């Protein structure tokens, strides 16, 4: 087996502020909550934060992706694997436990930056022996099969015999349900191993462990009963002398290899004999693990300054997603409670595709691809479910496990013993479109055509087949109905024409047609084969189109209000404030039938829809539906999926205080147990929603053909928001923070006045005289270019002498001057004069940066020359736009630094020039043309300086070289940025020499 390489001697240090979750006092009443909070994972397995020495009624659990076993009623569940943590320490016969003796000092820390769980305890035994213990453990992100624990023991007032027992516990269970059969085990010197097999699915797990003790003259003993192999060692302790224990564990399953127990033993040997030195195995593994986490954070970290609580909460949520995302296995997915708890039995819901996958799509797309490929592998299960229900195509399971077959329990018992029918597995159908949505979003973000051709297209098309067989034609209303469904709002079951479900069906079928068209155009053979396989005919496509046009969506166009489902507005309305204060959900208070009969929402379907399909709804429609549905939603104890989405929409509506409240309700759901159920495991959907609320809500990222654009609305107190964002094989870095704008530099044509039309007419006259091809489309390409470059573009391949060329430029300029003779202040574009007056009133210097050589005359005729402090025009510099020289020259004349300048441009070349000069830039016009600007506006009408300053002062975006470049150390990237900044500063201060 290949051995590991030695890591560098001195790993790069990182800033540890706002990276550490700290528990400063142990509270047994919060035992299970804290077990969840301190969960560790590495994309292969997750281990709850139980103590190595154990505690009364604790819930130790290690879950491995894909290791399911069948159980009556629940169908199947993720299996609690053998416990690798047990490390028992006895001092003179007294066992160290926090429920015995006295805890004199205690602290537990989760280092998110390095993925380390650390604990220090000063403990006095019942006999009065005082010892200091320091524990540390990790599940290696560098090698998914490696786990490690280190314990430092320092007696304070004790000398005598210390006994240490390191074990593997094969008696793990799922809250009383046993899944493992013992097969074999062994002990040799200071190592032990265990082999187990699941009872129904016959999955084997193999573990091996090695115990090292730094003390000399230790006495080694091996013991343990069947299913509990242990290595025990004894040594004499002395006051003030620290002894180090190191427990290394390896783990494999039969999903990884043929003989996992043997492989685990071989791996363990390699760990100790594969280094340049046989010593220091734990430290080497620790360094490799920490470096692996550092590489993750280089791409995925979100920096928030000015709000330490939000900063830590965001990093914690991202840590838990990264800790559970499978790296090397595309046949598994992320359960609703990650790998951290027993709730939902390790089943996979829509939570993954709608809430978790977007974070990975835009940061680590290779991990998003793994999760989506899981849905491809489970297509047979989805087709089986559709067939059994009497439908065509693929019908994805509401709760999915290993095979993709439906594993939602049909009945569950409640405390009274009564069985309650669960309809979600039968009728919560929107999961089909949720999966298609995640696939479409991934494809748009990555342009991964190969994956879409080989995997994604088949999923999108066959789930569309299901919808076509599922909807019902209503002859009376001449529309398609979808009856007896459950939307995301699970307070209301078996409703007709859910707005969310029907709208997503409409979107899904439209998308399926687009995907099929793309497939036919680019991969005709593949398309033909897939159409035959899925029985997609011209008749079927016509049916899809008809459903798109006629499916019933209850949207009142006059009021803008969308009815959640048919008859919702007729249900009893209640005021949720009348039920405060409360500690339970409204469904628990009212009962299932009571909540179903009232307008009280577990989560707001309509608002969720308006987030997913944001481009379909204007602000007025959003406001109308927000005003109706937000007060009727159980935010505190309803669905944990809702608050993050509400935060995004509240930010869209400029309700930043409300947005922040919803955001923190989501961000702290596990850290502070705001719903009282964090003991059940991490809220995966909420964790993913926190990233979306930060990026799409507060940063206001919009996706365009030219890349992502930020329109930030930061909460009060946030002084910086920094993150990286993957889009179409490019990595963008956004650094949103307030900066001081001291000067505004305007382009002239298309910004101050629409003189572009005069340029067009002048060029058209010259082109007609010279017999050159010219029209408005060609003219659009000239936007922002100086006269010489424009003429070169018009001439194309036609060759003329330099004298002829010069004469043509003179003639064009003559025609232009004739045309602008009648220009007047009335030709100023809307909003310009008011903005100029505001700038003057606020002591903001004003410059003009134009390629035109007639800028001064135009400004005089427009009557605004007195507003302008500096003009950089076609005479000022040698290199025109897209070189930054024009704007840098204007900044030099204004006597301000480039970074203190705001450029307002309407041309792509001008935007490029401003960015190259290190300046903030507002683009006026369509995103397709000026989308690389920091902020894009349609025009300057109804804008104020205060609004512009608030928006633009927070926006900085840079395009990093490539995905590969992000694997270099952050320090190197910083140096590169500093070098670029120095170059820009040199150009700005030496512009006259360049001329």
């Amino acid at each position: 087996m290949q051995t590991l390489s030695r890591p560098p001697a001195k790993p790069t240090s990182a800033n540890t502020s706002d990276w550490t979750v700290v528990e400063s006092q142990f509270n047994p009443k919060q035992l299970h909550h804290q077990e969840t909070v301190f969960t560790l994972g590495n994309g292969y397995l997750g281990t709850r934060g139980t103590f190595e020495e154990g505690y009364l009624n604790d819930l130790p659990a290690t879950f491995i992706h894909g290791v399911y076993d069948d159980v009556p009623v629940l169908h199947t569940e993720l299996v609690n694997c053998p416990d690798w943590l047990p490390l028992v320490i006895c001092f003179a016969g007294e066992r160290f436990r926090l429920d015995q003796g006295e805890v004199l000092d205690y602290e537990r820390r989760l280092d998110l930056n390095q993925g380390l769980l650390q604990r220090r305890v000063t403990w006095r035994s019942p006999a009065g022996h005082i010892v200091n213990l320091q524990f540390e453990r990790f599940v290696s992100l560098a090698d998914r099969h490696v786990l490690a624990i280190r314990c430092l023991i320092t007696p304070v007032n004790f000398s005598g015999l210390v006994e240490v027992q390191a074990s593997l516990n094969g008696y793990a269970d799922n809250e009383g349900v046993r899944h493992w059969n013992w097969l074999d085990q062994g002990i040799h010197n200071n190592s032990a191993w265990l082999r187990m097999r699941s009872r129904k699915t016959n999955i084997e797990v193999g573990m091996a462990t090695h115990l090292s003790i730094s003390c000399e003259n230790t006495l080694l003993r091996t013991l343990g009963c069947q299913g509990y192999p242990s290595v025990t060692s004894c040594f004499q302790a002395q006051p003030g002398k620290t002894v180090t224990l190191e427990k290394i564990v390896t783990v494999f399953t039969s999903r990884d290899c043929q003989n996992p127990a043997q492989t685990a033993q071989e791996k363990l040997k390699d760990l100790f004999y594969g280094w340049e030195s046989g010593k220091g195995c734990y430290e080497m593994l620790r360094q490799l693990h920490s470096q692996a986490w550092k590489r993750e954070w280089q791409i995925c970290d979100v920096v928030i300054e000015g709000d330490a609580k939000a900063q830590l909460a965001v990093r914690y949520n991202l840590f838990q997603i990264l800790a559970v995302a499978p790296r090397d296995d595309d046949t598994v997915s992320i359960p609703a409670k990650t790998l951290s708890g027993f709730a939902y039995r390790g089943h996979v819901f829509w939570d993954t595709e709608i809430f978790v996958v977007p974070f990975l799509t835009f940061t680590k797309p290779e991990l998003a691809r793994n999760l989506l490929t899981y849905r491809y592998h489970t297509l047979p299960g989805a087709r089986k479910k559709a067939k059994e229900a009497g439908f065509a195509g693929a019908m994805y399971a509401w709760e999915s496990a290993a095979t993709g077959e439906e594993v939602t329990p049909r009945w569950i018992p409640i405390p009274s013993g009564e069985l309650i029918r669960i309809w979600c597995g039968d009728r919560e159908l929107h999961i089909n479109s949720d999966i298609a949505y995640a696939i479409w979003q991934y494809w748009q973000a990555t342009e991964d055509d190969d994956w879409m051709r080989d995997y994604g297209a088949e999923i999108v098309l066959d789930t569309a087949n299901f919808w076509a067989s599922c909807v019902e034609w209503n002859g009376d209303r001449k529309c398609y109905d979808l009856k007896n469904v459950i939307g995301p709002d699970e307070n209301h079951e078996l409703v007709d024409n859910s707005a969310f479900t029907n709208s997503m069906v409409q979107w899904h079928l439209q998308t399926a047609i687009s995907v099929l068209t793309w497939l036919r155009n680019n991969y005709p053979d593949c398309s033909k084969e897939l159409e035959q396989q899925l029985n997609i005919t011209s008749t079927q496509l016509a049916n899809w189109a008809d459903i798109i046009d006629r499916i019933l969506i209850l949207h009142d166009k006059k009021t803008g209000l969308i009815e959640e489902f048919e008859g919702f507005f007729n249900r009893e309305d209640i005021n949720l404030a009348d039920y405060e204060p409360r500690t339970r959900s409204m469904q628990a208070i009212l009962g299932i039938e009571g909540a179903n009969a009232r307008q009280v929402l577990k989560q707001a379907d309509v608002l969720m829809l308006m987030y997913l399909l944001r481009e379909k709804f204007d602000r007025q429609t959003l406001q109308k539906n927000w005003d109706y549905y937000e007060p009727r939603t159980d935010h505190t104890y309803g669905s944990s999926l809702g608050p993050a989405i509400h935060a995004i929409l509240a930010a869209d509506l400029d309700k930043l205080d409300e947005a922040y409240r919803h955001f923190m309700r989501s961000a702290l759901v596990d850290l502070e147990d705001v719903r009282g159920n964090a003991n059940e495991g991490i809220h995966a959907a909420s964790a993913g929603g926190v990233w979306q609320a930060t990026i799409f809500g507060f940063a206001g990222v919009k996706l365009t053909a030219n890349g992502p654009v930020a329109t930030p609305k930061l909460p009060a107190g946030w002084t910086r928001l920094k993150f990286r964002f993957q889009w179409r094989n490019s990595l963008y870095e956004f650094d949103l923070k307030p900066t001081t704008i001291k000067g505004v530099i305007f382009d002239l044509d298309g910004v101050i006045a629409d003189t572009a039309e005069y340029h067009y007419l002048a060029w058209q006259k010259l082109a007609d005289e010279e017999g050159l091809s010219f029209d408005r489309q060609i003219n659009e390409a000239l936007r922002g270019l100086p006269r010489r470059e424009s003429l070169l573009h018009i001439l194309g391949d036609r060759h003329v002498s330099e004298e002829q060329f010069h004469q043509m430029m003179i003639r064009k300029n003559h025609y232009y001057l004739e045309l602008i003779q009648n220009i007047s202040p009335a030709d100023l574009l809307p909003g310009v004069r008011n903005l100029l007056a505001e700038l003057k009133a606020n002591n903001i210097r004003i410059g003009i940066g134009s390629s035109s050589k007639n800028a001064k005359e135009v400004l005089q005729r427009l009557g605004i020359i007195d507003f302008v402090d500096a003009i950089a025009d076609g005479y000022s510099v040698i290199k025109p736009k897209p070189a930054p020289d024009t704007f840098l020259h204007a900044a030099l004349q204004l006597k301000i630094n480039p970074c203190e300048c705001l450029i307002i441009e309407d041309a792509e070349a001008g935007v490029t020039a401003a960015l190259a000069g290190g300046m903030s830039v507002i683009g006026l016009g369509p995103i397709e043309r000026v989308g690389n600007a920091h902020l894009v506006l349609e025009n300057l009408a109804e804008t104020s300086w205060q609004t512009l300053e608030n928006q633009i002062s927070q926006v900085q975006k840079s395009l990093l070289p490539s995905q590969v470049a992000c694997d270099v150390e952050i320090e190197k990237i910083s140096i590169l940025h500093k070098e670029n900044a120095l170059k820009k500063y040199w150009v700005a201060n030496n512009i006259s020499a360049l001329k």
Side-chain angles (χ1 to χ4, degrees), residues 489 561-562 564 568-569 573-577 580 582 586 599-608 610 621-638 642-651 653 655 657-663 665:
D489 172 25
L561 200 60
I562 300 171
E564 182 178 302
F568 177 79
F569 292 153
D573 204 0
I574 63 173
N575 183 3
L576 296 187
E580 299 295 346
R582 58 189 171 91
M586 289 304 300
Q599 293 187 42
V600 56
L601 311 180
K602 183 176 180 180
Q603 67 181 100
D605 286 18
V606 172
L607 298 182
M608 184 74 206
M610 300 186 84
T621 304
L622 173 59
Q623 182 71 66
K624 185 72 174 181
N625 286 275
W626 172 275
D627 291 343
Y628 192 87
Y629 288 107
E630 194 277 338
R632 292 167 171 81
T633 304
D634 184 356
H635 298 293
T636 50
Y637 295 103
I645 304 305
H646 278 76
I648 298 170
L649 298 179
L653 293 171
K655 300 175 180 288
D657 289 342
E658 285 187 64
Y660 185 75
R661 283 197 299 272
H662 287 300
F663 170 76
R665 183 178 287 126

Side-chain angles (χ1 to χ4, degrees), residues 850-878:
S850 171
S851 299
S852 172
K853 293 185 176 180
N854 303 295
K856 188 172 183 179
E857 181 176 349
V858 171
L859 292 171
Q860 289 173 334
R861 292 183 179 276
L862 291 171
I864 58 172
I865 190 68
D866 292 338
F867 284 106
V868 178
D869 299 303
I871 299 175
D873 58 15
Y875 294 109
S876 302
V877 295
I878 297 173

Side-chain angles (χ1 to χ4, degrees), residues 36 48 59 61 63 68 74 76-78 174-175 334-349 351 399-400 409 670 677-684:
T36 295
R48 280 173 65 83
L59 290 175
F63 299 103
Y68 288 94
L74 299 174
T76 188
E77 65 181 358
L78 202 61
N174 285 53
E175 298 178 308
I334 296 177
K337 292 296 183 181
T338 69
L339 299 176
S340 62
F342 296 97
Y344 299 123
R345 309 298 168 182
H347 296 170
V348 180
F349 294 71
D351 306 37
E399 298 184 31
S400 179
D670 292 314
N677 64 351
N679 60 296
E680 297 177 349
I682 297 294
H683 292 76

Side-chain angles (χ1 to χ4, degrees), residues 664-703:
M664 292 302 285
R665 183 178 287 126
S666 186
L668 298 173
V669 67
D670 292 314
L671 278 177
E672 296 190 357
D673 196 14
V674 297
R675 292 174 179 271
N677 64 351
N679 60 296
E680 297 177 349
I682 297 294
H683 292 76
S686 189
V690 165
W691 184 87
Q692 294 188 58
T694 306
I695 306 309
F696 298 127
F698 296 136
V701 168
K702 301 290 189 297
L703 304 173

Side-chain angles (χ1 to χ4, degrees), residues 215-243:
C215 183
E216 297 179 357
N217 301 320
T218 58
L219 177 63
L220 181 67
R221 290 190 296 132
T222 57
L223 50 84
C225 62
Q226 179 176 300
Y228 203 96
S230 302
V231 176
T232 301
S233 187
C234 302
F235 61 89
Q236 290 293 323
Q238 300 296 327
K241 184 177 180 181
T242 299
V243 176

